[in-house]
């Protein structure tokens, strides 16, 4: 089941505020060459390239469906490439900005991943990353619990995606050990006020729910989503309801 840009962008305003908060931490000083890892549709990369017009930006993403949308944003200062994190491991290319917004939570083994990404920074390079703290977010907790129960555990062949996101302390140490200064690391709540269960379901259906549904047959998907919506309704009890969605924002400079 490929990523659906239209479903993902239903909550564009909610998903974009952390991006703007992260982008505000970046300075134009010595910024000539930048990479956006997990750029999706490329719209945010375009915003960054407009904010820092003297820099060359490259956006990479593993999803061909998402990158198809990026074609309208390409220009002389902005290009896009289909590439995975695993392919990036092989690179020794240096960047003045390594940026990633709401993407690295999909990559495993952050103890290996983050030192590699930090090693790609040039002298005076900037590192700016934002990720949802999925294991602390209620919709993710409900999803993980549901997938661990029968009959879904068998239907999913035991698959359950526990978020690889580490603690704030662990990221701070990795950034410090890589020589970064001016560290600015925080967890911030971006509240979603939902009018009903369906709105909360639609929010997560464009992201964390995808790898579960793609492993289920059509009739299994229907039963899974029905039970998931029921548990969301039971958890939030009454609507409108607030969903305190937590995200981690990290910034540092060499």
């Amino acid at each position: 089941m490929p990523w659906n840009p239209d479903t993902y962008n239903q909550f564009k305003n909610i998903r974009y505020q952390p991006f703007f908060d992260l982008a505000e931490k970046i300075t134009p000083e010595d910024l000539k060459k930048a990479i956006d890892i997990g750029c999706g549709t490329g719209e945010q990369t375009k915003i960054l390239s407009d904010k820092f017009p003297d820099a060359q930006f490259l956006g990479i993403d593993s999803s061909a469906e998402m990158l198809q949308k990026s074609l309208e944003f390409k220009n002389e200062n902005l290009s896009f490439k289909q590439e995975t994190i695993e392919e990036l491991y092989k690179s020794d290319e240096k960047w003045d900005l390594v940026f990633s917004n709401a993407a690295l939570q999909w990559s495993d083994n952050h103890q290996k991943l983050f030192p590699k990404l930090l090693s790609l920074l040039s002298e005076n390079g900037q590192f700016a990353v934002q990720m949802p703290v999925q294991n602390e977010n209620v919709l993710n907790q409900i999803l993980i619990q549901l997938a661990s129960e029968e009959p879904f555990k068998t239907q999913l062949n035991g698959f359950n995606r526990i978020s690889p996101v580490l603690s704030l302390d662990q990221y701070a140490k990795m950034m410090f050990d890589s020589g970064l200064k001016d560290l600015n690391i925080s967890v911030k709540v971006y509240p979603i006020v939902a009018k009903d269960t369906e709105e909360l379901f639609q929010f997560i259906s464009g992201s964390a729910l995808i790898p579960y549904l793609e492993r289920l047959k059509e009739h299994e998907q229907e039963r899974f989503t029905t039970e998931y919506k029921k548990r969301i309704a039971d958890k939030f009890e009454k609507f409108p309801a607030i969903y305190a969605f937590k995200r981690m924002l990290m910034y540092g400079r060499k």
Side-chain angles (χ1 to χ4, degrees):
M1 179 178 293
W3 281 79
N4 187 321
D6 295 327
T7 301
Y8 186 82
N9 280 336
Q10 283 181 28
F11 296 86
K12 179 184 288 189
N13 291 341
I14 295 170
R15 297 188 192 278
Y16 270 47
Q17 189 54 54
F19 161 79
F20 286 117
D21 290 346
L22 184 64
E24 281 301 308
K25 302 179 187 300
I26 302 167
T27 71
E29 183 183 358
D30 299 320
L31 180 50
K32 298 297 182 184
K33 183 181 174 187
I35 184 169
D36 180 5
I37 301 169
C39 64
T41 63
E43 186 171 351
Q44 293 178 351
T45 324
K46 176 62 164 59
I47 294 171
L48 281 178
S49 70
D50 289 343
K51 182 178 176 68
F52 304 104
D54 293 332
Q56 290 285 333
F57 275 81
L58 171 66
I60 67 169
D61 201 282
S62 61
S63 170
E65 291 79 17
M66 285 289 199
L67 284 174
Q68 185 63 32
K69 293 275 188 176
S70 73
L71 296 176
E72 62 186 281
F73 302 121
K74 290 179 66 175
N75 58 42
E76 63 274 11
N77 296 324
L78 175 60
S79 60
F80 297 94
K81 181 181 179 182
Q82 186 172 358
E83 184 171 302
T84 65
I85 289 290
E86 289 72 25
E87 290 171 316
L88 197 61
Y89 275 131
K90 303 173 186 176
S91 173
D92 292 319
E93 193 169 359
K94 300 297 183 182
W95 303 88
D96 301 323
L97 171 65
V98 172
F99 180 92
S100 183
N101 183 64
L104 296 182
Q105 73 274 11
W106 294 107
S107 298
D108 295 327
N109 195 350
H110 284 201
Q111 291 281 19
K112 177 184 176 184
L113 171 64
F114 272 69
K116 174 58 183 177
L117 296 182
L118 289 161
S119 75
L120 301 179
L121 290 174
S122 63
E123 184 179 357
N124 299 319
Q126 299 175 77
F127 185 76
V129 169
Q130 182 274 123
M131 299 178 293
V133 190
Q134 291 176 321
N135 288 340
E136 296 184 20
N137 288 328
V138 171
L139 293 182
N140 294 91
Q141 292 172 347
I142 298 171
L143 181 58
I144 289 168
Q145 179 61 39
L146 181 60
S148 71
E149 300 174 8
E150 297 294 357
F152 307 117
K153 182 177 180 179
T154 297
Q155 293 169 354
L156 289 163
N157 292 318
F159 170 80
N160 207 345
R161 193 167 199 285
I162 308 302
S163 174
V165 174
L166 305 173
S167 70
L168 183 149
D169 288 0
Q170 288 171 293
Y171 292 115
K173 184 179 187 304
M174 285 189 282
M175 293 169 70
F176 179 78
D177 288 347
S178 296
L180 266 64
K181 303 173 184 177
D182 302 325
L183 297 183
N184 188 331
I185 308 172
S186 63
V187 173
K188 183 176 179 179
V189 170
Y190 291 87
I192 298 170
V193 178
K195 65 180 182 295
D196 54 26
T197 299
E198 185 64 26
E199 187 170 359
L200 290 174
F201 174 79
Q202 288 298 322
F203 176 74
I204 201 166
S205 70
S207 54
L209 189 60
I210 293 173
Y212 292 89
L213 296 185
E214 67 185 3
R215 287 170 167 82
L216 296 172
K217 298 175 183 176
E218 188 172 344
H219 70 281
E220 295 170 342
Q221 290 178 3
E222 183 177 350
R223 184 175 178 184
F224 188 83
T225 56
T226 298
E227 179 61 24
Y228 188 33
K229 290 179 183 180
K230 177 181 179 298
R231 296 194 185 193
I232 293 173
D234 290 344
K235 180 67 177 181
F236 286 88
E237 297 179 349
K238 65 177 183 178
F239 289 89
I242 187 168
Y243 176 38
F245 193 69
K246 298 177 184 176
R247 295 181 180 271
M248 188 181 298
L249 291 86
M250 294 176 270
Y251 174 84
R253 185 173 189 133
K254 277 262 190 176

